[in-house]
Amino acid sequence: MTTTDISTERAEEDKRLIMAAYRNLLRTLEGKCDEKDKKNIRAAYELAVDAHKTQRRKSGEPYVLHPIEVARITVDEIGLGPTAVICALLHDVVEDTPVTLEDIRKQFGEKVALIVDGLTKLDSSFNADSPQAENFKKVLTTLTEDVRVVLIKMSDRLHNMRTLGAMPRHKQLKIAAETSYIYAPLAHRLGLYGFKTEFQDLCMKITEPDAYYSVSQKLKETKAARENYIEEFIAPLRTELDDIGVPYRILGRPKSIYSIWNKIKTKKVPFEEIYDLFAVRIIVDVPPKKEKSVCWLVYSTITDIYRPIPERLKDWVTTPKANGYESLHTTIIGPKGRYVEVQIRSERMDEISEKGFAAHWKYKGVNGQPDVFDTWLDSVRDILESGNENATEFINDFKTNLFSEEVFVYTPKGDMKMLPKGATALDFAFSIHTDVGYHATAIKVNNKLVPMGHQLNNGDQVSVTTNKSQKPSEGWLKWVVTGKARSKIRSAMKEERRRRGRDGEEQLRRKFKNMNVDFESAVNTLVKYFNYAHFADLFYAVAEEEINITTVLKKFKAEDGKLVPIPTEKKEEEKKTPVKGSRVLRRFNGTPKLLIGGESSEQYEYSFATCCSPVLGDDIFAYITATAGMKIHRANCANAEHLMANYGYRILKAEWVSGANTEFVANLVITGVDAGRGIIQRLTQEINDLDINIRSFSISGHEGYFEGKIALLVNNTDQLTLAVKSLQNLDNVSTVIREEV
Ligand code: MN
């Protein structure tokens, strides 16, 4: 056979695959679109096929199969309509092909262009080396613009996770970490339970493959026994349920592999001893008006036959969860004395629990509850608008506020307020009004005076006494958990800082006038000299005498109305230090200065975590270990999620304040095509040309691929980024990734 024969054959095969996928997509759309929709979907499909025609996925299949499948997921598994399908088909077109956003706007209109633009921005931000926290913020910003952007992104991520097998290991790990950190909790919050569960299972398959396969194998082995048991459990219920006279379905569903594994780990019991491997779900088909009464009727029928465990009764029918979930849960003692979890719900509630947000919209207003998603989106907006510049703080706020469960409390007038679980009396004050928070002097819960930091419980009645002369202080931050309260207290502190800083500013004005230098340029010089983020920090430091301005100014002279540093002998020496090509292991010219928990790091013993090796300029936080003192981690460290989630109280904010000449170790993994000898030399040459020292270097290769690991000694993230970019530009290098773990 000639090469042409093979390629025509392959092209034919590709065409068949693509057509089959497209027909499959059209089938899921049946009855959901009119003639005009169909025409537009066809046009989007043709545009996507043409635009991606030369691209293939890592698995080797034609690239366009990906957008087609993403479109199918948005319809089939989320329940979105034709517009979302068009956007999903086009979601990678602008980023990866010559088609522009303008082309899309002309052909498909403003709405589609807007959503595709949102998806493109999200994508490019994820490919860049920006910190996870920043990415997270971007996801949420698009969420408030058009929810469909995030829903399509969820489908995109789900398909990528399902087909992750073809990716190299380090990419799998990175994508899995991002998924469990951002997408799984977000799916949960949007009520997409099916997505959340699958995300968690797929992540576990990558991060803990042995455990994953062991649990899934055991689930398979015990399937028959489980089904028999469920049958035994259901048998006596059938006649009773038939008597109620409404259509119903009973399902016995095993829990997810991830949740079973979690139980094995946290409860330290073997698989065989986990009693709730599955839940029984009873779904009734009744009109909305009768849902509640029929659900309770089913509950009473079941508990006539099996004894319930009262404290396991959860009524999310009367008060849905904040993510829209509605269901009646109970645990009963079933045959052979085993505990069985039973979930009772209507068809509508079931659809909401599977498809979340999208289904919720469809039924908007049906259950007579305030719209929980609208309320939630409002609070997302609140947090985004609070102008929190520090991404790590933002994530912390977000995690405590928007992913957690909630408590319901009441004002003295009986109005209900929803606050995140763990919210305090002072949080409540801020939730009423910023001024009530600022001036709160005494808070009563159920008519008893409580401390400001008192944690609220469901059903508490809370009243706040205010006094105009009361003012928030730094210490208040300890007493609140909500983002709103934290950001309001922080901005009050900032205002106070600014007010006090005015004294410092006045001092500087006088000094600079005497020296005959321009105020603004001199301020800039000093801000740079001290590595402050903002001139206000300089003013404050002067006012509070954190720095002695008279001593500092002795190091400068006035020249042409500008402040110029007087060169010292030491500085001259420093210039000579870097020796090209030297293999010095570590050059310490002083410990880098940090601000830990807002205070100078000098009073702390600390070291840099080796799991993520922070570099000056990285987003960081401090963690107090049980035995090894304080460790500084990167905010996007693989351990961060775990540490923040479980030991939030041991975490302190940390920031860089000085650019001392310290070198940091940064580990890079470089992969590429092994084009024979010379790759090692070219990599090291490139790094030497950048005047960066190498601490260690190893390289291995097989089947025409190489993977190199380089530990670099860099001064800051700028230098690191430069190194990554230059290495990436080398021929035959495909990826350069900073190692996460
Ligand atoms: Mn994609």
Side-chain angles (χ1 to χ4, degrees):
M1 227 185 319
T2 66
T3 0
T4 342
D5 286 336
I6 297 170
S7 59
T8 9
E9 201 169 285
R10 191 167 187 190
E12 284 305 312
E13 174 62 21
D14 285 354
K15 223 181 246 170
R16 264 197 300 278
L17 277 172
I18 296 168
M19 274 311 292
Y22 182 59
R23 267 197 299 271
N24 195 19
L25 166 66
L26 290 183
R27 250 195 308 279
T28 63
L29 274 164
E30 249 159 52
K32 285 191 176 172
C33 42
D34 55 28
E35 281 312 308
K36 200 175 152 230
D37 293 332
K38 277 184 195 157
K39 243 182 73 200
N40 280 330
I41 290 170
R42 176 92 211 173
Y45 161 72
E46 276 163 4
L47 178 63
V49 169
D50 186 58
H52 293 298
K53 66 177 176 246
T54 58
Q55 292 172 293
R56 288 187 181 275
R57 301 198 85 207
K58 267 262 156 31
S59 60
E61 55 178 27
Y63 191 87
V64 74
L65 290 176
H66 165 66
I68 295 175
E69 182 59 12
V70 172
R72 190 201 58 75
I73 295 172
T74 58
V75 186
D76 221 12
E77 300 179 39
I78 302 186
L80 295 180
T83 309
V85 168
I86 294 168
C87 299
L89 285 170
L90 301 174
H91 84 269
D92 278 334
V93 156
V94 174
E95 197 186 350
D96 300 341
T97 81
V99 178
T100 65
L101 199 61
E102 203 38 53
D103 299 336
I104 289 178
R105 184 174 292 119
K106 268 188 210 129
Q107 197 174 351
F108 300 97
E110 192 59 42
K111 191 83 235 178
V112 170
L114 220 76
I115 296 175
V116 171
D117 188 33
L119 285 161
T120 309
K121 273 189 205 135
L122 264 183
D123 254 346
S124 50
S125 72
F126 269 98
N127 293 339
D129 198 32
S130 63
Q132 260 169 350
E134 282 299 331
N135 289 335
F136 194 45
K137 210 167 169 176
K138 275 177 202 140
V139 174
L140 293 165
T141 312
T142 59
L143 178 69
T144 58
E145 279 161 13
D146 189 318
V147 178
R148 278 176 293 190
V149 177
V150 164
L151 294 177
I152 296 168
K153 186 70 201 166
M154 288 275 179
S155 311
D156 181 31
R157 178 54 59 127
L158 187 58
H159 186 239
N160 284 335
M161 287 294 292
R162 283 174 180 170
T163 53
L164 210 53
M167 286 283 180
R169 174 87 182 141
H170 66 271
K171 277 208 176 156
Q172 290 183 346
L173 286 172
K174 180 171 184 274
I175 293 170
E178 232 168 48
T179 303
S180 70
Y181 195 60
I182 298 177
Y183 288 98
L186 196 54
H188 176 82
R189 204 54 190 71
L190 291 170
L192 294 161
Y193 278 93
F195 275 58
K196 179 193 82 169
T197 312
E198 196 173 341
F199 278 147
Q200 288 173 333
D201 277 1
L202 290 170
C203 286
M204 181 185 163
K205 198 170 165 183
I206 287 159
T207 53
E208 292 179 274
D210 294 344
Y212 178 87
Y213 289 111
S214 135
V215 173
S216 75
Q217 183 58 31
K218 282 183 176 146
L219 272 179
K220 262 183 226 146
E221 284 164 10
T222 52
K223 189 165 182 249
R226 201 162 48 243
E227 278 168 357
N228 284 337
Y229 184 84
I230 293 171
E231 230 1 87
E232 198 183 333
F233 168 82
I234 291 170
L237 287 176
R238 288 210 195 270
T239 36
E240 306 292 323
L241 289 176
D242 288 345
D243 281 351
I244 298 176
V246 298
Y248 66 91
R249 301 187 280 144
I250 305 184
L251 311 169
R253 308 185 60 172
K255 299 218 167 138
S256 74
I257 294 174
Y258 173 82
S259 68
I260 293 171
W261 173 237
N262 242 347
K263 273 218 172 103
I264 295 178
K265 271 197 310 194
T266 53
K267 303 220 163 128
K268 298 196 169 57
V269 291
F271 178 89
E272 290 70 26
E273 279 169 38
I274 295 180
Y275 58 82
D276 53 353
L277 284 173
F278 61 90
V280 170
R281 186 176 296 172
I282 300 172
I283 305 163
V284 292
D285 191 3
V286 290
K289 266 192 184 160
K290 293 184 118 178
E291 285 175 338
K292 192 171 165 183
S293 61
V294 172
C295 284
W296 281 105
L297 204 54
V298 171
Y299 171 82
S300 118
T301 308
I302 294 169
T303 50
D304 280 347
I305 299 169
Y306 297 115
R307 192 155 68 83
I309 300 172
E311 59 271 23
R312 299 285 288 268
L313 175 66
K314 304 230 171 77
D315 175 11
W316 291 304
V317 168
T318 311
T319 318
K321 281 194 187 183
N323 66 2
Y325 185 80
E326 295 173 68
S327 192
L328 191 60
H329 288 198
T330 182
T331 299
I332 55 92
I333 302 174
K336 299 187 187 107
R338 282 165 62 180
Y339 288 20
V340 179
E341 183 185 318
V342 185
Q343 308 169 345
I344 305 161
R345 56 176 73 161
S346 69
E347 291 285 355
R348 177 189 66 82
M349 297 173 186
D350 194 53
E351 192 181 343
I352 286 177
S353 84
E354 297 292 325
K355 295 182 175 167
F357 204 93
H360 186 89
W361 259 358
K362 181 169 142 194
Y363 294 113
K364 211 168 176 167
V366 163
N367 62 356
Q369 305 281 353
D371 192 279
V372 286
F373 282 115
D374 284 350
T375 321
W376 186 65
L377 282 177
D378 280 345
S379 44
V380 173
R381 260 177 227 119
D382 260 6
I383 292 197
L384 286 169
E385 281 160 13
S386 69
N388 202 335
E389 285 149 30
N390 182 307
T392 314
E393 262 170 26
F394 170 80
I395 284 263
N396 280 336
D397 278 359
F398 198 87
K399 283 230 161 195
T400 40
N401 285 280
L402 299 172
F403 282 168
S404 62
E405 304 282 312
E406 51 285 321
V407 287
F408 297 95
V409 294
Y410 296 90
T411 66
K413 281 184 188 155
D415 293 334
M416 193 176 77
K417 282 259 158 199
M418 205 163 76
L419 293 167
K421 208 171 189 166
T424 65
L426 190 54
D427 280 313
F428 174 85
F430 275 96
S431 82
I432 298 292
H433 193 275
T434 307
D435 280 337
V436 176
Y438 278 165
H439 305 305
T441 48
I443 304 180
K444 280 182 180 172
V445 169
N446 304 327
N447 275 325
K448 266 194 212 122
L449 211 56
V450 296
M452 297 278 208
H454 174 85
Q455 260 190 23
L456 299 174
N457 291 310
N458 269 328
D460 280 348
Q461 196 189 52
V462 194
S463 65
V464 183
T465 316
T466 57
N467 183 323
K468 277 282 163 209
S469 62
Q470 174 77 306
K471 261 199 307 192
S473 69
E474 189 93 29
W476 284 30
L477 285 171
K478 287 198 299 265
W479 297 332
V480 296
V481 301
T482 60
K484 182 173 181 185
R486 294 187 73 85
S487 69
K488 292 295 175 195
I489 296 171
R490 277 191 215 118
S491 67
M493 295 292 92
K494 236 190 231 167
E495 185 46 48
E496 180 67 14
R497 232 177 124 82
R498 217 171 287 145
R499 200 185 56 76
R500 290 220 289 252
R502 267 173 225 139
D503 292 340
E505 186 181 347
E506 261 324 294
Q507 274 191 52
L508 286 173
R509 262 187 211 288
R510 278 197 305 273
K511 296 257 181 211
F512 293 155
K513 204 174 170 191
N514 289 340
M515 287 176 82
N516 216 358
V517 289
D518 172 56
F519 177 74
E520 245 166 72
S521 106
V523 164
N524 274 332
T525 307
L526 289 185
V527 164
K528 271 202 201 109
Y529 178 79
F530 285 107
N531 226 330
Y532 285 129
H534 200 261
F535 57 81
D537 297 334
L538 173 69
F539 298 161
Y540 184 77
V542 172
E544 294 293 299
E545 290 174 9
E546 282 172 12
I547 55 178
N548 186 327
I549 193 63
T550 317
T551 327
V552 169
L553 286 177
K554 281 188 185 139
K555 297 179 186 164
F556 292 87
K557 58 181 177 185
E559 216 175 270
D560 300 333
K562 286 201 169 94
L563 217 50
V564 181
I566 302 168
T568 61
E569 279 173 29
K570 203 174 151 229
K571 289 238 162 169
E572 287 300 318
E573 233 166 67
E574 252 173 24
K575 276 182 200 156
K576 290 182 210 147
T577 320
V579 181
K580 216 175 180 184
S582 71
R583 291 288 178 277
V584 187
L585 280 195
R586 196 162 186 138
R587 189 181 60 188
F588 251 111
N589 288 339
T591 323
K593 278 196 197 135
L594 297 175
L595 266 186
I596 296 175
E599 288 168 272
S600 163
S601 61
E602 268 145 22
Q603 49 188 310
Y604 292 109
E605 275 286 352
Y606 68 92
S607 55
F608 292 99
T610 47
C611 52
C612 54
S613 308
V615 165
L616 176 70
D618 276 331
D619 213 354
I620 49 170
F621 67 89
Y623 175 72
I624 306 158
T625 66
T627 51
M630 190 181 281
K631 296 270 181 199
I632 308 297
H633 288 264
R634 273 155 66 191
N636 59 349
C637 168
N639 294 318
E641 182 187 354
H642 169 74
L643 296 178
M644 289 186 189
N646 297 297
Y647 305 105
Y649 57 93
R650 290 188 180 173
I651 296 209
L652 288 174
K653 186 174 138 183
E655 295 165 86
W656 305 99
V657 286
S658 138
N661 288 325
T662 311
E663 286 180 335
F664 299 83
V665 182
N667 299 303
L668 298 182
V669 178
I670 302 167
T671 62
V673 186
D674 193 359
R677 290 151 296 141
I679 186 73
I680 297 179
Q681 208 217 325
R682 279 197 296 128
L683 290 173
T684 46
Q685 185 60 48
E686 186 69 22
I687 294 165
N688 275 339
D689 288 350
L690 295 169
D691 223 346
I692 295 174
N693 289 326
I694 298 176
R695 189 192 199 190
S696 66
F697 187 13
S698 69
I699 195 160
S700 62
H702 64 101
E703 290 171 359
Y705 263 86
F706 74 84
E707 186 177 292
K709 287 189 180 215
I710 302 190
L712 296 178
L713 294 171
V714 295
N715 292 117
N716 50 44
T717 44
D718 291 345
Q719 215 179 24
L720 179 60
T721 313
L722 187 66
V724 171
K725 283 210 177 117
S726 330
L727 291 174
Q728 240 155 11
N729 282 337
L730 289 178
D731 285 343
N732 299 331
V733 168
S734 6
T735 61
V736 180
I737 288 175
R738 184 167 170 201
E739 219 172 11
E740 300 285 344
V741 191

